[in-house]
Amino acid sequence: MQINLKELTSTAVKASKAAGDEIMRIYHSADFGVEYKKDDSPLTKADKAGHDAIIDILKETGLPVLSEEGNDIPYETRKEWDYFWMVDPLDGTKEFIKKSGEFTVNIALIHKGSPVLGVVYAPVLEWMYWGNALEGAWKQEKEETPFQLTPPEKEEVKTLVVSLSHQSPETKAFMEKYPGAEIISMGSSLKFMLVAEDKAQIYPRFAPTMEWDTAAAHGVVLAMGGQVLQAKKGVPLVYNKEDLLNPWFIVSIQSLVADDL
């Protein structure tokens, strides 16, 4: 199957902005319509509105979509997909409810288990990240000129980014390996983006995530020359598994974490 990565990246950026507009409309309203799923994770009107906005645009590509807020699609069906979209319309719903601004719209294109493009959009902050295997990775803040994301010239672990709400004993043990490093936190897939911008050099995740939580950010990190590797195995995260739960992983420039994999 022939695809045009540049065109599809533009389409994904367009879809993320449309979802961001819908999410912000609800963000500024008085009623988030909060519900809770079977796993006790929250769901709001914004999750649903973002999903609908994305689907409305991505359907033009003719490629299938696997979304956190979409219908369950049997593995027997999706394992036959060559290219498909993996979407999290609102990553960081808890941050949305708290009005921290640290939530994102995540859209990735997956091919044979790997993200070949990713778009991560933080609508409150007006940060847009995108990247693909052909053009590299970029960030745009508000209406400013986009700038390219590239690996740092000097490999040095100055800062770790972690999840404050998911600090397992393994995470704390990992942090102790870098006693001189600053520790920062940010919500949603923005933790990946801190590594992509070299504002942090490593993001260890020793707690549960789903494939749609990571796919878009993984695509951006790959496009800028970084790695998202399974902890203890040193191989990349794989997408479209029968079980969509991710293993533990570490985000960084590969050579920085060779001893930790």
Side-chain angles (χ1 to χ4, degrees), residues 180-193:
E182 179 186 1
I183 305 297
I184 59 175
S185 182
M186 186 167 273
S188 68
S189 57
L190 289 171
K191 290 183 284 292
F192 284 75
M193 299 301 94

Side-chain angles (χ1 to χ4, degrees), residues 34-110:
V34 180
E35 305 171 11
Y36 288 89
K37 303 178 187 179
K38 292 180 180 179
D39 63 357
D40 290 331
S41 61
L43 176 70
T44 70
K45 289 180 179 179
D47 295 82
K48 299 172 185 176
H51 168 84
D52 291 343
I54 291 169
I55 296 301
D56 191 50
I57 292 174
L58 293 188
K59 68 183 180 183
E60 300 170 5
T61 68
L63 298 173
V65 180
L66 182 62
S67 171
E68 179 179 12
E69 308 311 337
N71 296 326
D72 288 338
I73 300 172
Y75 179 65
E76 292 303 311
T77 298
R78 55 185 173 81
K79 74 177 183 179
E80 305 298 328
W81 293 348
D82 187 16
Y83 287 90
F84 73 96
W85 297 105
M86 179 164 277
V87 172
D88 189 346
L90 178 48
D91 180 32
T93 302
K94 291 179 181 178
E95 303 298 329
F96 175 87
I97 294 169
K98 290 192 295 185
K99 284 203 164 186
S100 75
E102 296 179 359
F103 55 85
T104 59
V105 178
N106 297 343
I107 302 176
L109 183 67
I110 307 297

Side-chain angles (χ1 to χ4, degrees), residues 16 21 49-50 71 85-86 137 151 172 182 201 207 232-233 238 249:
S16 70
D21 288 345
N71 296 326
W85 297 105
M86 179 164 277
K172 293 177 181 178
E182 179 186 1
Q201 289 71 50
K232 306 301 181 185
K233 292 185 178 181
V238 177
F249 59 84

